[in-house]
Amino acid sequence: MPYSALFLSAFIAATLLPAQSELVLIGLLAAGRVDQGLLLVVGTIGNTAGSVLNWAIGRGADTLLGKRRFQAAAKGYERAARIFRRYGQWSLLFAWLPVIGDALTIAAGVARLPLLPFIALVAIGKAARYAAIIGGQTWAMNW
C-alpha cells in the first residue's frame, strides 16, 4: 500500500496537476518499515510515467496552445520550449524541476523526440532527485 501511494503521487506530480510526491516519500521514510531501494524505483517509475503522459500530450499540443483558454499555459510552454531548443534533449535531465520540468516534457513531445531517449533522460534525472531526497532524509534521521 505505501508503494502504491508513492507511485500514484509521483505520477500525478509529473503531470500538470499540482501534487508533491516528495512529501509522500519523506512521510514513508519517516514512518519506517519501507525498503528505500524500492521507494527509489517506484517513485522513479511513477514520476517518469507521468512525464510520458506529458510527452504524449506534447505530440498534440500545437492544436491546444492556439486556443484561448490555454494562453496562460502557452506562456510557460514557450519558456520551456526555448530552453529545450537551446539545450536539446539534455534539458530533460532537469524534468524534475517544479513548473518548468512539466513544460520541458511537453516540449519534447512537440519536438517529436523519440520515446526511448526521452524515457532514459527523464528517468535518470528523476532517479537522481529521489536518491538525493532519500539520502538526505536518511542522513537527517540518523544525525
Side-chain angles (χ1 to χ4, degrees):
M1 183 66 159
Y3 301 105
S4 58
L6 178 60
F7 180 89
L8 185 60
S9 69
F11 181 89
I12 293 170
T15 66
L16 297 174
L17 299 173
Q20 295 279 322
S21 64
E22 298 86 358
L23 297 177
V24 174
L25 176 62
I26 290 170
L28 292 172
L29 289 167
R33 297 179 292 146
V34 290
D35 182 313
Q36 292 179 354
L38 190 53
L39 288 175
L40 174 65
V41 170
V42 168
T44 300
I45 291 172
N47 215 232
T48 302
S51 291
V52 169
L53 176 63
N54 288 346
W55 174 87
I57 290 169
R59 305 280 294 197
D62 291 339
T63 57
L64 290 176
L65 293 173
K67 297 191 183 215
R68 180 177 228 178
R69 64 180 159 178
F70 289 100
Q71 291 305 309
K75 290 177 185 175
Y77 165 76
E78 284 304 320
R79 179 175 175 220
R82 280 193 305 276
I83 292 170
F84 189 79
R85 283 191 298 273
R86 183 172 182 185
Y87 298 105
Q89 66 186 17
W90 300 108
S91 64
L92 294 172
L93 292 169
F94 299 96
W96 56 270
L97 287 170
V99 182
I100 193 75
D102 297 340
L104 283 172
T105 59
I106 291 172
V110 171
R112 302 291 195 249
L113 182 69
L115 185 58
L116 289 179
F118 173 85
I119 290 173
L121 290 166
V122 169
I124 289 167
K126 290 181 183 267
R129 184 228 8 212
Y130 280 119
I133 292 169
I134 291 169
Q137 181 68 16
T138 302
W139 178 81
M141 290 187 330
N142 292 324
W143 190 64

